[in-house]
Amino acid sequence: MSQRKKYLAKNTALFALNTIGTKLIIFLLVPLYTKAFTTSEYGTVDLITTIGAILVPIITINIGEAVMRFALDNDVNKNDVMSIGVLFAVFSFVIGFSVFFVVEYFQQISISKFLIYFYCISQGLYIIFSCNLRGQEKLLHYAIGNILNTFVIAVLNILFLLVFKIGINGYFYAYILSNFIAFLYCFIAGDVKVVVQSFYIDKKLMKKMVSYAIVLVPNSLMWWIMNSSDHIMVSSMIGMDSNGIYAISYKIPSILSALSTVFNQAWSYSAIHENKSEDRETFNNNMFDKLVRFQLIITVFLMGIMKPFLKIYVRQPAYYDAWKYTPYLLVGYFFLTMGTFLSTTYTVQKDSKGFLISGTVGAVLNIVLNWILIPIMGIHGAAFATCISYIAVFLYRSRDTRRYMVIHVFKLEYVVGYAVLVVTAISMAITYHWGYIVFCIEFIMILVINREFVNECYEMVKRIFLKIKRKRI
């Protein structure tokens, strides 16, 4: 294995430890939530977390992303980079009071505004200091911090929801406490004490970092619109019960998201390191090829298991209707993964405007389609709008990133695979045994299209087992 592939494999393994560990715990908590909350209460929880998802980047001005990216440069003092991160972490306590004004507009939210304030502040602190670990390439510590955070969330949720039965307040107590604990771990693991002791603000560096980060704030708003605004619109147009069901429909796509996050986070490091290599375009295309084939197989497989899985997964029958909206989201998340791979080029080139413009394209389309489709199609309209907006971002980036590098995203095999994916999503509406027969045919088609990749994976697994067998002997 070449050095570059070993580097990518090592980082992928570390991000896998992080993502699979955290996502698995969160995934397993959903039956607890569906038991502890009514659909309306779960809709309220989802609404607050949705609001937090946009407020946190504003409160921190996304400085964590700048800390991570600038610390990866070889010609910069990492302590100076983190000093700027610490400064804006302190500022976030003041900017965070904007939470009170925003929450005032949502009459459905009855819990304390101070609780939401500390939820956002704690999350912002944790993100900034965990990004410092990523910037220092302390990826094992980064993974441990995330797993610690999620594990404490799980323990405290069980305690607050099942034992003390505190309800929605208990849910957010768990998140606030776990975020502060994980923040302290990242503070220690990242040697931030040394940064504080030698605190220094390089004004030129701060200007560059803020310029990079500030553009990512409206970009975060655009992605919030694509990822989360539909939850608010479903809540206001249809009701909290519908939003609770819609929130569950995201759970199976979150598996796909977890797998893609593992690779794309690891890939961003390789892309930065390979930026000046002569064959970087070939290397990028080879990695895209493997990603698209793997994701096609996994996405189609997830569609096949979603109905029987949800019957076991959710505790209240009302949540089972979530399967109807999951196919739209799985198709959307597939193209989101491809678009995220392409966006690594923006990260390498520090082109935060590329993030912003592509995000704006998807966000505008998403919000227009939501306004049109939700009154007509209900939750189906929201899921379809999200799917189309993700595809639009993928198409925009596939063209725009050609300024830096050409990734061949429309090879004939890929296009056929995209078509089978969409047909599979549509055929999920077929009920009873005929539905499973049709799915089996579609899944076999995907395996045949990607047969060389499947064989490559088989040979790789075979080699791994042979190595393990030899070590035992």
Side-chain angles (χ1 to χ4, degrees):
M1 187 185 288
S2 64
Q3 195 62 37
R4 55 170 43 161
K5 287 185 178 179
K6 284 182 180 177
Y7 180 73
L8 178 59
K10 182 196 77 173
N11 287 344
T12 301
L14 288 170
F15 279 115
L17 171 67
N18 162 49
T19 305
I20 293 172
T22 55
K23 294 288 185 183
L24 181 63
I25 295 171
I26 291 172
F27 196 75
L28 294 174
L29 281 174
V30 172
L32 165 65
Y33 299 149
T34 56
K35 182 181 179 182
F37 299 132
T38 64
T39 53
S40 177
E41 287 172 333
Y42 195 61
T44 302
V45 167
D46 184 68
L47 179 62
I48 295 169
T49 54
T50 297
I51 294 168
I54 185 54
L55 288 178
V56 171
I58 294 171
I59 290 168
T60 62
I61 73 154
N62 253 334
I63 200 67
E65 291 295 323
V67 168
M68 188 276 288
R69 178 61 190 90
F70 280 77
L72 287 170
D73 290 339
N74 295 323
D75 58 346
V76 72
N77 186 313
K78 288 179 171 54
N79 283 350
D80 289 352
V81 171
M82 191 52 197
S83 289
I84 294 163
V86 170
L87 177 66
F88 281 92
V90 173
F91 284 166
S92 70
F93 279 87
V94 178
I95 304 172
F97 283 108
S98 60
V99 168
F100 292 87
F101 300 102
V102 173
V103 175
E104 194 68 38
Y105 287 96
F106 296 91
Q107 300 301 318
Q108 307 99 317
I109 298 173
S110 58
I111 71 168
S112 168
K113 295 180 181 65
F114 279 100
L115 196 61
I116 301 172
Y117 168 80
F118 282 112
Y119 168 70
C120 293
I121 291 297
S122 64
Q123 197 168 7
L125 288 174
Y126 171 52
I127 289 171
I128 293 171
F129 285 78
S130 65
C131 281
N132 178 49
L133 293 177
R134 289 180 63 188
Q136 294 181 42
E137 295 195 55
K138 292 183 176 181
L139 299 184
L140 180 59
H141 286 295
Y142 171 72
I144 292 170
N146 273 346
I147 293 171
L148 172 66
N149 181 35
T150 314
F151 178 75
V152 175
I153 287 171
V155 172
L156 293 180
N157 262 314
I158 292 169
L159 189 65
F160 294 150
L161 296 181
L162 293 186
V163 180
F164 297 136
K165 300 186 185 299
I166 304 176
I168 294 175
N169 283 349
Y171 177 92
F172 288 103
Y173 290 152
Y175 269 84
I176 292 167
L177 290 171
S178 62
N179 283 337
F180 276 121
I181 290 169
F183 150 69
L184 289 173
Y185 173 82
C186 293
F187 185 95
I188 296 166
D191 296 321
V192 182
K193 182 181 177 182
V194 176
V195 174
V196 174
Q197 289 172 342
S198 59
F199 186 80
Y200 172 73
I201 297 298
D202 182 329
K203 291 181 181 178
K204 287 184 178 178
L205 177 62
M206 184 169 73
K207 186 177 179 181
K208 289 179 182 178
M209 287 178 64
V210 171
S211 297
Y212 177 79
I214 205 77
V215 176
L216 293 176
V217 174
N219 175 62
S220 294
L221 174 60
M222 296 305 105
W223 280 100
W224 176 83
I225 289 172
M226 279 188 284
N227 294 332
S228 306
S229 66
D230 49 353
H231 293 260
I232 291 177
M233 295 174 82
V234 167
S235 297
S236 60
M237 292 181 176
I238 310 175
M240 284 296 187
D241 288 352
S242 295
N243 188 46
I245 294 168
Y246 187 44
I248 294 299
S249 69
Y250 270 83
K251 297 310 173 183
I252 290 180
S254 72
I255 299 172
L256 190 64
S257 174
L259 293 171
S260 64
T261 299
V262 167
F263 180 80
N264 282 320
Q265 284 184 327
W267 172 245
S268 65
Y269 285 84
S270 291
I272 291 168
H273 282 276
E274 294 292 331
N275 187 37
K276 295 181 181 179
S277 63
E278 293 181 3
D279 64 338
R280 71 189 182 101
E281 193 165 302
T282 302
F283 185 55
N284 274 258
N285 274 285
N286 286 339
M287 291 301 107
F288 180 82
D289 180 79
K290 288 176 171 53
L291 179 64
V292 71
R293 294 179 188 280
F294 175 76
Q295 290 291 107
L296 276 171
I297 294 168
I298 293 298
T299 307
V300 172
F301 173 75
L302 289 174
M303 284 190 191
I305 67 167
M306 67 177 182
K307 290 181 186 178
F309 177 77
L310 280 173
K311 282 185 179 178
I312 303 167
Y313 188 55
V314 295
R315 294 300 181 92
Q316 295 184 40
Y319 286 106
Y320 179 67
D321 280 350
W323 77 263
K324 297 175 183 176
Y325 322 113
T326 300
Y328 302 105
L329 298 174
L330 280 169
V331 173
Y333 269 66
F334 169 81
F335 285 102
L336 173 62
T337 300
M338 301 305 112
T340 303
F341 180 93
L342 295 172
S343 73
T344 305
T345 306
Y346 296 142
T347 303
V348 173
Q349 304 298 330
K350 295 180 182 173
D351 180 8
S352 50
K353 288 181 181 177
F355 280 111
L356 175 59
I357 296 170
S358 61
T360 302
V361 168
V364 171
L365 184 59
N366 181 269
I367 207 157
V368 169
L369 288 176
N370 272 321
W371 276 112
I372 295 171
L373 298 177
I374 291 176
I376 301 169
M377 300 169 61
I379 302 176
H380 284 282
F384 183 72
T386 299
C387 175
I388 295 300
S389 64
Y390 285 158
I391 293 173
V393 172
F394 164 72
L395 293 174
Y396 177 88
R397 287 177 175 176
S398 68
R399 184 173 181 82
D400 185 54
T401 54
R402 286 174 175 263
R403 292 181 290 141
Y404 304 114
M405 185 185 304
V406 178
I407 303 293
H408 303 288
V409 301
F410 295 114
K411 286 183 180 180
L412 181 59
E413 282 184 277
Y414 300 165
V415 174
V416 174
Y418 302 158
V420 173
L421 175 65
V422 173
V423 170
T424 305
I426 295 169
S427 69
M428 287 297 104
I430 301 172
T431 55
Y432 304 110
H433 300 300
W434 283 110
Y436 289 106
I437 292 169
V438 171
F439 167 74
C440 288
I441 294 169
E442 291 160 342
F443 189 62
I444 289 169
M445 286 177 67
I446 281 290
L447 293 177
V448 170
I449 293 167
N450 300 290
R451 58 192 176 279
E452 290 182 10
F453 174 73
V454 172
N455 187 58
E456 187 181 328
C457 291
Y458 171 75
E459 292 298 328
M460 183 181 69
V461 172
K462 187 178 173 182
R463 285 196 300 271
I464 291 170
F465 276 109
L466 283 172
K467 282 183 181 180
I468 295 170
K469 191 176 180 181
R470 284 182 195 133
K471 284 181 180 179
R472 286 181 178 177
I473 295 170

